[in-house]
Amino acid sequence: MSLLAQDTRTKRRNAAERRFRRYGLTAIGISLAALVMLLTSVFSSGLGAFRQTFIHIPITLTESALDKSGTRDPDVMHKVTTIGYARVINAALAQAIADNGIVIDGLTDDDIADTISKEAPAQVRDAVLANPDLVGQTVSFSILANGRVDGYLKGRVSLESAAIDTKISTRQLALADAMQDKGLMSRDFNWAFITAADASDQRPEAAGLGVAILGSLYMMLVVLCLALPLGVAASIYLEEFAPKNRWTDLIEVNIANLAAVPSIVFGILGLAIFINFAGLPQSAPIVGGLVLTLMTLPTIIIATRASLKAVPNSIRDAALGVGASKMQAVFHHVLPLAAPGILTGAILGLAQALGETAPLLLIGMVAFVREYPGAPPEGFFDPASALPVQIYNWTQRADPAFVERASGAIIVLLVFLLVLNATAILLRRRFERRW
Amino acid sequence: MTRLTITASAIALLAATPALARDQVQIAGSSTVLPYATIVAEAFGENTDFPTPVVESGGSSSGLKRFCEGVGENTVDIANSSRAIKASEREVCAAAGVTDIIEVRIGYDGIVFASGIAGNAFAFTPADWYKALAAEVIVDGALVANPAMTWADVNPNFPAQPIMAFVPGTKHGTREVFDLQVLEQGCQDSGAVEALVALKGDDAAKTCTALRTDGRSVDIDGDYTETLARIASNPDGIGVFGLSFYENNTDKLQVATMNGVLPSTESVTSGEYPVSRPLYFYLKQAHIGVIPGLKEFAEFFVSDDLAGPDGPLAAYGMVSDPALAETQAVVADEVTMQ
C-alpha cells in the first residue's frame, strides 16, 4: 500500500467533494442566469424611458386665440383651456412642416395634430400663464411627441405594426422620418421621467416618477424617524435591562413572529387603525410610513439585538468596574460599538420597506396622483404615490408605451435599492469591529 | 443627545396630526372606468384652479364597497363602476349613512372578443360562447360535463382550435355583463334554457352562467394587460376585452364579430353590436360643498367637451351617451337616486 496511490475510500470521499462543489456551482449558475435574464429584460425595455422624442418648432402665440381681452391678465387668460392651446400648436406644426418643404401624400390635418402629445398644450399653457408677455410673440418650444411616434424612433413601432394600428398611420411615420431629417424632431435625455408627475392613459410620453419618488422619500423619512428610535430603544431594554422571565420570552417570540407576518396584514391594520379609527387621510405618505414602520420594526429590533449581543461582556464589565452606571455603560460603550450593525439593519429594513406594495394597496396609495405633495411636515398628509406602486400602476395601462415606463421605473427603483444596500455594506466594512 | 431630538421630533410629528381638510377629490373603483377618470382628472387639474383628483382602481365592487364605508373626509367621494349599483350595495351604503347618492352615467363601453393577431378569425354568436364555456350542457336529455374540446365541437364552421378562453374574474363589472349578455343570452338562443328548467327547475340561469373548471376557461382577476399577456403566450387563447383596450392594441389583437357585427364605437352606439354596458360613477351629495371642486369635477366629466362624441374620452374608445344632456342636468340639479 503506497501513500501516493489513493485507496477506494479516499477516492469516494474526494469524488463526493467534487460532486458537492459542482452542485454549488450549478446553484450559483442558475441564480446568476435568472438575475441576468431579469436585468436584460428590464434594461432592454426600460432604458428607452430615459430618452424621449421632442418636436422643436416655433409657435406663434396669437393674441386673438390666447388673450382675447388683450389685458395680459393671467386670471382672465385662465379661461382659455388646453383645447384652445392645442389649436395654436397644431397650426404652428402644420406651418413648420410647410416651411421646411415636407410633403407627404395623403397627410391630413388630423394626422399632423396626432403626432403631438396631448401634454403639449398644457406645457405651452403653463409657459404662457407664467409669462403672459409671451402672447403675440413667436417662441421656440420643444414639445413632446406622441407616444406612438416616440415608439417609432425607439423601434417599438414599425411600419408593419402601424399599418394595422388604429392609433398611428404609416403617413405619420413618414412625417416623423422627414421631421428628423430636417432637425424638427429629435430624441433627448428625458429628465421629466424622473421629475414629472404621472400622466393619464392618453399621454404615456409625459408620465414621470416625480410624485412617486417624493412619496417614497416621505415614507422612508417617517419610517426612519419612527422605526429606528423605537426599535433601538426596545432592543436596548430587552437586551440590557429586562429580566429574563416568561414575559420577555413571550415578547421575544412575538417579535420574531411579527417579522414573518405577510405585509398585506399590516395594510389591513393600517386601514383599520390609522384611517378608520385615527381619522388620518387616505393616500397619504404619513399613513404609508406608519404602516411600513410597523412592518420594519421587527427587522430593526432583531438586527439591533444581534449587534448588541456581539459586543463582548468584558466591555460592559470594564465600564461597570470603573464605576459607570448601567445606563452609562450601555450608552457610552456598548451602543457606539454596536452602531454599525444597527445602522446596517436599519438600512436593510428601509430597503425592504421601499420595495413594498401590498400594504399600500389598502390605504389608498395605489392611485393616480398628479399633484406633488407639499413640503414636510404638511406634505406628509397630502396624497402621494410610491415607486413600487407606480410600477404596478403602469403595468396595468392599456397603451403599450407604458411597458417601457414600467421597466424604466424598475431601473430607478433598483438604483435606489443598490445605493441603500451599498451604504449598508460600506458602513459595515468601515466601522465594524471584531473581537 | 441627537437620538433624543430625533425621538422628540417623531413624537411631535405624531402629536401634530391635525384633521387637515382634504382639498382634492378622491375617487375609487372600476378599472374599466379608470383610464377615462384619469383623462378627465388630468384635464380638470390642468384647466381649473382645483388640484387634480386622486383616482384609485381595484374593480367596481371594491370601489363601491369603499364608497359605502360612510360619509366624511377620510372616505372616497366618487365610486367608478362599470355596472349599476346593486340594491344590496345601496343597503350597505344606507346603513353607513351614505344615503343621497347621485348616479351619473358617463357613456357606454363595448365588450369585445379578441385573439392574437396571427391566429384564426372568428365570427361568434352568444350561443357559441355558452356551448364552449358552460360547465354542464345537455346531451341527449341529460346534464353532463361540457364535452367540447375545440371550437369545431361547438360550431362546425369554426377551425379545430382548442378552446382556451380568458374571461374577467368575478370582481370585475365586465364579468356581470358577460354573464348576462353572452352566456345567458347564448343559453336562451341555443334553446338550452327550456331544457334546463324542465330538468332542474327555476335555477336554470345559474347553470347557464356556471363556467367550466377544467382549465379551458380561465378567470383573469387582473386587468386587460394580463389577458393580453396570456394571449401573447398562448396562441389559442381568446380573451374578453373592453373596446377601448382593443382600440389601443389593434396591432396585437384581432377582434371577432358578434352576431355578424364588428365592434366599433359606431356599432355600439347604434345598438347593432349586442355586448355593451353603461359606465357610471356614483357621487356622495353630502360631500358637495365640503370637498372643493367635487361638483365642478362631475360637471366637467360629463361636459360635451370631454364626454361628447368629439371629446378625448370618445377618442380613447368610450361610446358617448346620446342622452348626455340628461346626465348633465342630473349633475347640475344634484338629482339623487330614489
Side-chain angles (χ1 to χ4, degrees):
Chain A
M1 184 120 166
S2 151
L3 269 178
L4 296 171
Q6 294 176 329
D7 63 14
T8 41
R9 203 180 126 94
T10 315
K11 273 185 191 152
R12 254 210 329 274
R13 288 197 303 158
N14 288 348
E17 187 180 327
R18 274 198 301 279
R19 269 205 309 280
F20 180 75
R21 285 182 185 208
R22 247 174 272 143
Y23 295 151
L25 275 180
T26 322
I28 292 174
I30 290 173
S31 23
L32 269 185
L35 182 70
V36 167
M37 255 165 61
L38 178 84
L39 288 183
T40 347
S41 88
V42 166
F43 276 83
S44 64
S45 54
L47 279 177
F50 294 93
R51 290 171 70 75
Q52 198 65 41
T53 307
F54 290 91
I55 298 174
H56 315 282
I57 47 166
I59 298 177
T60 309
L61 303 163
T62 44
E63 185 175 40
S64 59
L66 304 182
D67 186 17
K68 269 188 200 135
S69 67
T71 54
R72 302 285 187 274
D73 177 4
D75 288 337
V76 180
M77 287 163 66
H78 245 99
K79 287 204 184 88
V80 181
T81 61
T82 42
I83 299 167
Y85 281 84
R87 283 194 208 103
V88 173
I89 298 173
N90 294 346
L93 180 60
Q95 187 63 44
I97 290 171
D99 288 348
N100 280 276
I102 299 172
V103 181
I104 282 147
D105 283 340
L107 193 72
T108 63
D109 286 347
D110 281 348
D111 283 342
I112 295 175
D114 285 345
T115 55
I116 305 172
S117 165
K118 301 257 186 310
E119 178 78 6
Q123 222 176 318
V124 176
R125 185 171 181 265
D126 287 346
V128 171
L129 289 183
N131 184 5
D133 292 331
L134 290 179
V135 174
Q137 300 176 25
T138 299
V139 185
S140 285
F141 277 97
S142 285
I143 53 176
L144 282 166
N146 176 282
R148 288 289 206 277
V149 173
D150 178 54
Y152 176 58
L153 266 73
K154 288 171 179 166
R156 195 174 59 231
V157 174
S158 64
L159 287 169
E160 292 79 50
S161 78
I164 46 173
D165 193 337
T166 50
K167 298 274 170 183
I168 188 111
S169 66
T170 45
R171 296 184 302 277
Q172 286 168 309
L173 298 188
L175 174 65
D177 281 334
M179 284 174 67
Q180 259 190 299
D181 288 343
K182 299 279 181 192
L184 293 178
M185 190 185 273
S186 67
R187 271 203 299 152
D188 301 317
F189 190 78
N190 186 17
W191 283 110
F193 182 61
I194 311 284
T195 57
D198 194 6
S200 75
D201 286 45
Q202 271 188 326
R203 10 181 133 155
E205 60 277 359
L209 287 169
V211 174
I213 291 177
L214 217 54
S216 276
L217 182 78
Y218 283 8
M219 286 199 296
M220 291 309 108
L221 275 178
V222 173
V223 173
L224 198 68
C225 290
L226 292 179
L228 191 61
L230 284 180
V232 171
S235 330
I236 291 179
Y237 181 75
L238 280 176
E239 198 58 42
E240 305 286 341
F241 296 96
K244 295 271 172 267
N245 58 24
R246 210 179 287 168
W247 290 111
T248 44
D249 282 351
L250 193 72
I251 290 171
E252 219 160 290
V253 170
N254 270 308
I255 289 171
N257 254 338
L258 266 185
V261 165
S263 54
I264 186 86
V265 174
F266 292 106
I268 299 170
L269 193 77
L271 175 67
I273 295 179
F274 300 127
I275 293 179
N276 290 347
F277 176 70
L280 290 172
Q282 305 209 33
S283 317
I286 180 80
V287 182
L290 286 169
V291 168
L292 294 178
T293 300
L294 293 181
M295 208 195 75
T296 329
L297 255 181
T299 317
I300 293 187
I301 292 181
I302 290 169
T304 309
R305 293 192 65 184
S307 31
L308 286 174
K309 261 197 196 107
V311 177
N313 264 332
S314 53
I315 300 216
R316 293 183 186 82
D317 294 343
L320 294 175
V322 295
S325 72
K326 180 108 198 217
M327 195 173 147
Q328 282 172 328
V330 170
F331 281 94
H332 294 176
H333 303 281
V334 179
L335 198 59
L337 289 171
I342 297 175
L343 284 181
T344 311
I347 290 172
L348 293 181
L350 272 191
Q352 184 196 357
L354 180 65
E356 201 59 66
T357 331
L360 306 180
L361 203 67
L362 290 159
I363 56 166
M365 285 195 84
V366 181
F368 173 78
V369 186
R370 248 180 90 80
E371 300 281 333
Y372 295 95
E378 287 83 17
F380 288 135
F381 297 89
D382 291 340
S385 179
L387 267 176
V389 162
Q390 196 66 66
I391 296 167
Y392 173 69
N393 268 345
W394 283 345
T395 52
Q396 296 178 316
R397 303 269 174 93
D399 197 298
F402 277 109
V403 175
E404 172 197 281
R405 299 271 144 179
S407 300
I410 295 175
I411 296 176
V412 173
L413 184 63
L414 282 179
V415 168
F416 280 135
L417 290 176
L418 202 69
V419 168
L420 278 179
N421 287 331
T423 321
I425 292 173
L426 211 73
L427 277 176
R428 208 165 44 211
R429 284 271 167 82
R430 285 287 298 273
F431 300 110
E432 193 170 51
R433 283 186 59 183
R434 289 184 184 283
W435 285 280
Chain B
M1 209 53 217
T2 46
R3 198 183 44 256
L4 260 183
T5 38
I6 293 173
T7 320
S9 57
I11 290 168
L13 194 83
L14 264 186
T17 41
L20 288 180
R22 180 150 63 83
D23 56 0
Q24 80 288 339
V25 175
Q26 201 118 21
I27 305 169
S30 165
S31 45
T32 308
V33 184
L34 177 76
Y36 305 119
T38 55
I39 289 168
V40 177
E42 190 173 57
F44 184 70
E46 243 162 45
N47 288 312
T48 67
D49 292 330
F50 298 105
T52 309
V54 171
V55 193
E56 292 173 58
S57 77
S60 304
S61 302
S62 83
L64 284 166
K65 199 174 153 210
R66 300 253 320 261
F67 182 75
C68 289
E69 269 171 5
V71 175
E73 283 191 357
N74 59 350
T75 60
V76 296
D77 309 312
I78 292 178
N80 293 328
S81 177
S82 55
R83 57 170 173 77
I85 190 169
K86 291 177 194 158
S88 59
E89 285 165 337
R90 290 199 57 192
E91 281 165 23
V92 174
C93 260
V98 187
T99 45
D100 294 323
I101 303 171
I102 304 173
E103 181 182 63
V104 184
R105 190 178 60 214
I106 54 173
Y108 293 86
D109 180 37
I111 292 177
V112 308
F113 302 86
S115 48
I117 191 80
N120 295 311
F122 284 91
F124 290 120
T125 63
D128 295 332
W129 276 87
Y130 165 67
K131 286 183 200 159
L133 294 191
E136 294 177 306
V137 292
I138 293 173
V139 179
D140 301 331
L143 208 54
V144 297
N146 195 340
M149 287 300 144
T150 66
W151 286 102
D153 294 342
V154 172
N155 183 337
N157 296 330
F158 289 155
Q161 174 178 332
I163 294 173
M164 190 71 237
F166 298 103
V167 299
T170 44
K171 73 168 186 173
H172 290 288
T174 315
R175 174 60 172 273
E176 205 155 290
V177 184
F178 177 74
D179 281 354
L180 194 72
Q181 299 189 1
V182 179
L183 295 178
E184 281 187 31
Q185 186 67 37
C187 201
Q188 263 174 21
D189 292 352
S190 63
V193 167
E194 289 82 7
L196 281 171
V197 170
L199 216 63
K200 290 192 73 174
D202 285 338
D203 56 346
K206 244 186 205 158
T207 318
C208 281
T209 57
L211 294 186
R212 58 199 299 178
T213 49
D214 56 356
R216 300 199 166 268
S217 159
V218 179
D219 275 16
I220 303 288
D221 275 328
D223 290 72
Y224 295 134
T225 42
E226 187 186 341
T227 316
L228 180 67
R230 294 290 193 105
I231 286 179
S233 61
N234 187 340
D236 289 332
I238 296 179
V240 178
F241 295 96
L243 180 61
S244 62
F245 187 90
Y246 161 69
E247 300 233 315
N248 269 292
N249 290 281
T250 47
D251 56 333
K252 296 186 201 72
L253 291 171
Q254 66 170 319
V255 73
T257 60
M258 185 55 85
N259 289 344
V261 183
L262 200 68
S264 67
T265 45
E266 292 79 24
S267 61
V268 174
T269 316
S270 67
E272 279 174 88
Y273 186 76
V275 197
S276 70
R277 37 77 188 277
L279 302 176
Y280 298 94
F281 69 78
Y282 293 89
L283 177 67
K284 287 176 189 164
Q285 199 200 16
H287 283 200
I288 292 179
V290 179
I291 305 296
L294 181 55
K295 188 174 179 185
E296 287 82 354
F297 175 73
E299 285 179 324
F300 190 73
F301 205 134
V302 294
S303 65
D304 289 327
D305 277 346
L306 280 130
D310 301 318
L313 300 190
Y316 189 74
M318 188 182 79
V319 179
S320 70
D321 188 351
L324 193 61
E326 288 167 29
T327 311
Q328 287 164 353
V330 165
V331 177
D333 301 340
E334 300 179 19
V335 183
T336 55
M337 292 174 80
Q338 290 310 307

